[in-house]
């Protein structure tokens, strides 16, 4: 499916250029992706394959902020086994992965990235933080970048209990610690001019979303608080979420502000729609079709 997605596509937020980078696809269980929503409802939005899996984008965001080139999330990377790739339907081949191909397609090199921003440290968001080289050595993928994450998320990722450890793979974040490239933030923070992080807990306790603000316009990279445009209704919450009722309140808060300020909403996992704004004529959260 990812062959049908462009390597990158761009739009403008005020005077800031942003690029959606298609770092490949994965396929996750449709039931887990839609939590308590019955299959007859969700399968109309995203049809499952014979293994009940639905295709999901691994869309990262490259932000040309005035003082820094910022990459939000890093896809799955290249350190996984063939068995892992089969279970999760991972397709992200490139040089070394489709993420780097997409960055080059947008006109930059991986070495140009000044800041890597992780919304959280699950393998499909932080897997490309590190890369396995020709010798099998795992090293940071973006050596000139500082890596930004919530302090609570980094601590939580290390806690490794039975419910969460399949999602938090040490090889995605330990080498960043060893290389002393982390810059931890706590709560809402401006990362660089025009780029802020805002806590949107629920999927994980310290999950964050990213706001890009310029000249009165705002875009929000939602990440897993709302992974696809099919998850826009408040109760359409993933079964993966550790605290679904907290997700509910994070979404309620975001949708209120998004409506007030006509935000551009960016979807990390939507297999079709990279971004859109709410239709102001509708009471329900539905997107204006471009
Ligand atoms: Zn995810």
């Amino acid at each position: 499916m990812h062959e049908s997605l462009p390597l990158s596509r761009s739009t403008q937020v005020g005077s800031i250029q942003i690029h959606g980078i298609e770092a490949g696809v994965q396929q996750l269980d449709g039931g887990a992706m839609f939590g308590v929503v019955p299959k007859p409802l969700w399968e109309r939005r995203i049809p499952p394959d014979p293994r009940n899996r639905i295709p999901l984008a691994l869309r990262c965001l490259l932000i040309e902020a005035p003082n820094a080139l910022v990459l939000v999330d890093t896809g799955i990377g290249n350190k996984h086994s063939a068995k892992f790739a089969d279970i999760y339907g991972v397709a992200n081949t490139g040089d070394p992965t489709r993420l780097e191909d997409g960055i080059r397609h947008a006109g930059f090199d991986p070495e140009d990235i000044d800041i890597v921003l992780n919304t959280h440290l699950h393998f499909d968001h932080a897997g490309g933080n590190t890369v396995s080289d020709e010798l099998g050595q795992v090293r940071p993928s973006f050596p000139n970048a500082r890596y930004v994450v919530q302090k609570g998320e980094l601590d939580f990722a290390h806690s490794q209990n039975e419910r969460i450890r399949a999602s938090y793979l040490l090889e995605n974040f330990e080498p960043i610690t060893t290389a002393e490239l982390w810059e931890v933030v706590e709560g809402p923070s401006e990362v660089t001019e025009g780029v802020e992080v805002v806590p949107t807990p629920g999927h994980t306790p310290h999950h964050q979303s990213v706001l890009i603000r310029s000249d009165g316009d705002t875009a929000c990279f939602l990440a897993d608080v709302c992974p696809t445009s099919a998850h826009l209704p408040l109760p359409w919450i993933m079964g993966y979420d550790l605290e679904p009722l907290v997700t509910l309140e994070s979404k309620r808060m975001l949708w209120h502000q998004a409506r007030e300020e006509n935000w551009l909403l960016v979807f990390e996992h939507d297999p079709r729609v990279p971004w859109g704004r709410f239709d102001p004529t509708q009471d329900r959260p539905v997107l204006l079709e471009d």
Side-chain angles (χ1 to χ4, degrees), residues 26 28 33 56-58 73 119-120 122-125 203 207 223-224 227 238 240 268-269:
Q26 63 180 341
L28 297 183
M33 278 302 293
L56 296 164
L58 299 168
D73 282 351
T119 60
H120 60 302
H122 282 169
F123 67 73
D124 56 327
H125 298 257
H203 180 65
H207 180 278
D224 277 350
M238 287 191 278
Y240 294 112
E268 187 160 8
H269 290 311

Side-chain angles (χ1 to χ4, degrees), residues 130-253:
T130 59
V131 65
S132 174
D133 65 20
E134 311 78 52
L135 302 171
Q137 296 272 65
V138 176
R139 54 176 177 76
S141 308
F142 304 99
N144 301 322
R146 53 193 168 103
Y147 286 64
V148 176
V149 71
Q150 288 285 331
K151 180 179 187 300
E153 177 68 15
L154 189 56
D155 292 344
F156 188 70
H158 280 113
S159 66
Q160 294 282 305
N161 70 51
E162 293 81 356
R163 172 67 170 79
I164 68 170
R165 67 185 175 204
S167 300
Y168 285 115
L169 309 182
L170 292 171
E171 60 189 8
N172 295 334
F173 45 92
E174 281 297 89
I176 306 302
T177 304
T178 305
E180 299 183 352
L181 294 179
W182 285 120
E183 179 179 305
V184 295
V185 293
E186 293 184 73
S189 308
E190 182 182 72
V191 173
T192 182
E193 184 185 334
V195 181
E196 301 164 29
V197 293
V198 52
T200 47
H203 180 65
T204 69
H206 299 274
H207 180 278
Q208 62 185 355
S209 301
V210 181
L211 299 179
I212 302 100
R213 295 190 194 270
S214 172
D215 298 341
D217 196 10
T218 302
C220 180
F221 185 86
L222 296 161
D224 277 350
V225 71
C226 180
T228 78
S229 60
H231 291 82
L232 284 170
L234 287 175
W236 288 50
I237 291 169
M238 287 191 278
Y240 294 112
D241 286 19
L242 297 174
E243 300 170 306
L245 296 180
V246 178
T247 302
L248 178 70
E249 297 313 318
S250 292
K251 280 172 86 173
R252 198 192 307 280
M253 177 269 296

Side-chain angles (χ1 to χ4, degrees), residues 29-148:
D29 184 82
M33 278 302 293
F34 285 103
V36 298
V37 178
K39 186 173 181 182
L41 297 183
W42 64 253
E43 72 179 354
R44 291 207 297 259
R45 304 298 307 272
I46 308 182
D49 74 3
R51 291 161 75 175
N52 206 45
R53 303 175 307 179
I54 60 171
L56 296 164
L58 299 168
R59 185 171 298 112
C60 305
L61 196 68
L62 192 62
I63 307 166
E64 294 186 52
N67 301 319
L69 186 64
V70 182
L71 175 66
V72 184
D73 282 351
T74 60
I76 289 185
N78 72 345
K79 303 178 298 300
H80 52 273
S81 66
K83 182 181 170 194
F84 181 100
D86 176 61
I87 291 171
Y88 296 109
V90 180
N92 70 342
T93 52
D95 180 22
T97 74
R98 204 169 194 267
L99 170 63
E100 289 81 1
D101 290 357
I103 291 169
R104 286 186 284 266
H105 188 260
F108 297 93
D109 281 314
E111 291 73 25
D112 298 333
I113 308 289
D114 300 303
I115 299 170
V116 173
L117 223 172
N118 284 134
T119 60
H120 60 302
L121 296 175
H122 282 169
F123 67 73
D124 56 327
H125 298 257
N129 280 8
T130 59
V131 65
S132 174
D133 65 20
E134 311 78 52
L135 302 171
Q137 296 272 65
V138 176
R139 54 176 177 76
S141 308
F142 304 99
N144 301 322
R146 53 193 168 103
Y147 286 64
V148 176

